[in-house]
Amino acid sequence: MKSAPGLLAGAAYLLLLASCTSPMRSAGVRASDTGLHTAFPGTPLSKGAQAAMEEAKSGDPEKIRALLPFFLTEDNERLVRFVTTLKGKAVPPLLDALEDSEPWKNELAAGLLGELRAKEAVPKLTAFLRSDRQRRYVAAWALGEIK
């Protein structure tokens, strides 16, 4: 019989594994499509992600939206930090992404708007929270960050 610490360590590992793979699975992306299973914090960004970040520095809304798919396969912490450096330039394309038909983009946009403390996002985040769409919990979190 396993000891309690051994069971807890096993449960923690399963939770970590599930949290690392769920964004790709929920978006319909297979690990074989991306060339890697998960990105762990500290993983170097791919050349594609680095190029997309350079292009997004221009503030072009399309270039900023082009970053979103990289959140499925890259180190999210680095990408979030980068998006927060864009400040107000990132808000309009993220507001548009709230209306996207793909739930993972809605969730990501809501979370990033919360990270940016974008007060102009409050009406759309409130509507998202009151809707019957998936992943509304992120809108609640984002509104709490914006206050």
Side-chain angles (χ1 to χ4, degrees):
M1 181 172 217
K2 286 190 174 185
S3 65
L7 288 174
L8 289 175
Y13 174 75
L14 290 175
L15 285 172
L16 174 65
L17 183 61
S19 69
C20 289
T21 59
S22 63
M24 290 193 325
R25 249 189 276 134
S26 65
V29 177
R30 296 185 317 253
S32 60
D33 295 338
T34 63
L36 62 128
H37 295 284
T38 58
F40 292 99
T43 302
L45 295 173
S46 69
K47 290 182 194 250
Q50 291 174 13
M53 288 168 63
E54 281 301 313
E55 291 180 5
K57 286 179 183 177
S58 69
D60 179 343
E62 288 303 313
K63 303 294 184 187
I64 294 170
R65 273 198 68 154
L67 286 172
L68 298 183
F70 289 103
F71 279 84
L72 296 174
T73 59
E74 303 287 337
D75 181 354
N76 285 356
E77 186 176 324
R78 288 183 186 189
L79 291 169
V80 169
R81 283 195 314 252
F82 171 74
V83 170
T84 59
T85 67
L86 298 174
K87 299 181 180 161
K89 293 186 282 187
V91 173
L94 293 173
L95 287 171
D96 290 343
L98 280 177
E99 304 300 325
D100 199 281
S101 63
E102 297 185 63
W104 70 269
K105 285 185 184 175
N106 307 149
E107 175 184 34
L108 180 57
L112 289 170
L113 289 164
E115 289 286 342
L116 289 165
R117 313 293 194 275
K119 292 190 184 304
E120 57 268 52
V122 169
K124 279 196 173 187
L125 288 169
T126 303
F128 185 3
L129 183 61
R130 291 181 176 157
S131 73
D132 62 350
R133 293 169 33 195
Q134 295 179 7
R135 304 178 182 188
R136 293 183 308 272
Y137 64 92
V138 181
W141 175 85
L143 288 165
E145 291 298 302
I146 295 168
K147 296 179 192 168

